[in-house]
Amino acid sequence: MASRNPLGSLFGRSPIGPIQLHMKVATEAAEHLPELLQATADEDWGRAKEIHKAISADESAADKLKRDVRRHLPKSLFLPVPRSDLLQLVSIQDQVANTAQDFASVVMGRDLRFPDKLFPAVLELASTSVCCCQHALKAIQELDELLEVGFSGREVKRVEAMLKELDKLERKTDKQQFSLRRKLYKMESELAPVDVMFYYRAMGLLGELADIAEKVGDRLQILLAK
């Protein structure tokens, strides 16, 4: 008996389902980051290694889903939005998982542990950035409902309210990142220059994660406007 493609079956039920699943997996990769930071603060490198593996597994799963969506998203969909826009949405979503993986690789590549004076603020930035991803996921999970109502009516207003909240969270991460950079700048003379470079890099990736989540929301906003 020929095996069935589970993703193909999911497409058969809903053209949006695999796109929502992709964002869920990408968000799961990001959700590990505060836990990874806490493990490094505790100098529990064994635990940190396991978390890194989990992030890598999520990134690989998201990458596979992205390729499958590109191959199997039907070309003859009668949707109120172009197929190309949905594929672009998936490409942006995939950057969530990629950025989480990049952050984990920077941390684990150098056994990077933030100074105690910086750690609470770094953890707060990571948590807010993850919250941005979770808000973007909640909005993407409304795609089925939006499809049913033809991207119009009260459902659109509800999703637009979600996207406004996402924008507010992203602006919060901008302020958190600026504050962190100022704190690190004042501590630079006390730290190894190479470590300082990687601290800035890691902090930048956390800010980038929030920016990408906002881009997911922006792409959804474009779909709502069509």
Side-chain angles (χ1 to χ4, degrees), residues 50-70:
E50 290 303 310
I51 297 167
H52 184 206
K53 286 181 181 178
I55 293 169
S56 296
D58 286 336
E59 191 276 335
S60 295
D63 206 40
K64 183 178 186 301
L65 281 166
K66 176 191 66 178
R67 293 193 300 269
D68 286 343
V69 167
R70 288 173 173 174

Side-chain angles (χ1 to χ4, degrees), residues 91-158:
S91 294
I92 298 170
Q93 291 179 173
D94 202 58
Q95 294 173 31
V96 170
N98 291 343
T99 304
Q101 169 76 328
D102 288 346
F103 177 85
S105 295
V106 167
V107 169
M108 296 306 296
R110 290 184 56 80
D111 288 349
L112 198 67
R113 182 182 184 278
F114 279 92
D116 291 341
K117 291 180 182 179
L118 282 181
F119 177 73
V122 173
L123 186 60
E124 184 179 9
L125 173 60
S127 298
T128 309
S129 294
V130 169
C131 194
C132 286
C133 297
Q134 292 168 334
H135 271 66
L137 172 61
K138 287 179 182 178
I140 292 299
Q141 287 174 333
E142 298 298 317
L143 270 173
D144 284 271
E145 293 292 333
L146 289 168
L147 182 62
E148 287 182 11
V149 299
F151 287 78
S152 62
R154 286 183 297 178
E155 183 64 23
V156 170
K157 293 184 183 299
R158 196 159 77 89

Side-chain angles (χ1 to χ4, degrees), residues 173-186:
T173 64
D174 288 340
K175 293 176 182 178
Q176 290 174 330
Q177 193 173 4
F178 179 79
S179 176
L180 258 175
R181 287 179 180 276
R182 291 296 300 170
K183 288 178 181 178
L184 181 53
Y185 169 70
K186 293 176 181 179

Side-chain angles (χ1 to χ4, degrees), residues 73-79 83:
L73 185 65
K75 295 181 180 179
S76 58
L77 289 175
F78 294 99
L79 295 175
R83 178 178 182 270

Side-chain angles (χ1 to χ4, degrees), residues 164 166-176:
K164 286 181 181 178
L166 173 56
D167 288 342
K168 285 172 59 178
L169 280 169
E170 192 279 331
R171 288 195 297 272
K172 181 178 179 181
T173 64
D174 288 340
K175 293 176 182 178
Q176 290 174 330

Side-chain angles (χ1 to χ4, degrees), residues 16-27:
I16 301 300
I19 296 171
Q20 294 170 318
L21 177 60
H22 177 265
M23 184 60 188
K24 181 176 183 293
V25 173
T27 300

